[in-house]
Amino acid sequence: MMKLTSLRNRWTRFFARYSTQKEPRAQILLVGAGRMGQIRAKILHSNPRVDLCGVADTAGKGGHLASMYRIPEYQSLEEACENQARPLDAVVVCTPTHSHSEVILLAASYGLDTFVEKPVAESASAIEDLFESVSQVSHSTRPRPVALCCGFQRRFDPSYQAAMTSAAFGKPITARIFFGDHPVPPIEFLLTGGDIFMDLAAHDVDYITHVWKDDRVESVFAVASASSPQLAEAGVQNHATVLLQFEGGAVATLFLSRSSVYGYDQRCELFGTEGLVSIGNIPEHSTTIRNKKGSHGALWQHSFPQRFEHAFANELDAFVNTVLLDEPWPVSRDQCLYVQSIVDAAQRSAKLGEVVRLTAR
């Protein structure tokens, strides 16, 4: 009996010791319950280092996510921050771009780290002001300023990362990027939707300028077109081509379209003095059928939630590292401003029909 009691006590002390040494978990609130909010909620809920503490949506659309993940629903960020059993560490913002500034500044006032979908704001000057304001605020529980983290998911995708770490192409000569969006949006969305340069070009502009970080974009030329009289009359373009001229002589061409009928088409080729690096598409499955009519394979993945599923998860895991471990966010303030200046230049170029030169910062 004495031996049994002693063994029981030893096991009790063992479990007591290790049960108190739990890994820290980031207390994160989701702001925005739209399409991106639904994608982010699933990832946050499945991350073992995150407690998804609720969803706040000013339009009252968070009920579905609150029910699915058994989390509280709030009507505002203020309500969420004032009604937490444990202090929040951070917010993940998935609201329309025009609302980013208000949400980011409010989160900063509570000392919360913020992850926000690109772009941080609607203009380079607004982005600069936000980073400056946030840098002056201390984190609620850590001896550092609050972090403002902008999401550019190409950097976190395994295929794009493999190309980014490769030196196989040598000195850059040219890049060719193809962005075919799928499914084709309904006309109603296009008439009220975002700008094709802001929506589609920003991720690839960030990627190519990060890969070629030793060079700078000198000038931008862009053309855009509408595929129907209704879109043209409304001033909405759903196809565009952008040419980036770098100071070192390299050229990158981006083709953007809302009308890929065969699947989500994302391709990138980097050509240089030592070779070529290509990033291809990922099909829905790997089965190939061959018969008298030819070879038949799968469609490309349906859309961006499927194609960049792993990238989105990696991205938020990196954000958790910033929140819990104080690791610096890989996308800097200067890179956000740089990308926005290029996108702004593409918009102006398409409107004016001329080359736009970038002003050195």
Side-chain angles (χ1 to χ4, degrees), residues 205-221:
V205 168
D206 170 71
Y207 182 73
I208 192 63
T209 54
H210 182 59
V211 173
W212 290 355
K213 56 179 177 282
D214 295 332
D215 206 347
R216 298 283 295 182
V217 173
E218 181 179 65
S219 64
V220 180
F221 180 69

Side-chain angles (χ1 to χ4, degrees), residues 114-135:
T114 299
F115 174 91
V116 62
E117 307 292 345
K118 65 81 186 167
V120 174
E122 292 183 298
S123 67
S125 60
I127 292 172
E128 190 165 22
D129 290 343
L130 281 172
F131 272 100
E132 178 61 28
S133 298
V134 168
S135 69

Side-chain angles (χ1 to χ4, degrees), residues 19 30 33 46 48 61 85 89 94 135 143 166 174 203 205 214 217 222 226 257 268 276 292 305 313 333 339 352-353:
S19 63
L30 178 67
S46 63
K61 296 180 179 179
D89 294 311
C94 302
S135 69
S166 173
T174 190
H203 282 295
V205 168
D214 295 332
V217 173
S257 177
C268 177
L276 171 70
K292 294 178 180 179
R333 161 192 172 276
V339 170
L352 300 174

Side-chain angles (χ1 to χ4, degrees), residues 32-34 55-57 59-75:
V55 53
D57 190 288
K61 296 180 179 179
H64 175 65
L65 292 179
S67 176
M68 179 181 296
Y69 298 112
R70 300 183 181 182
I71 55 176
E73 176 189 7
Y74 303 102
Q75 301 304 308

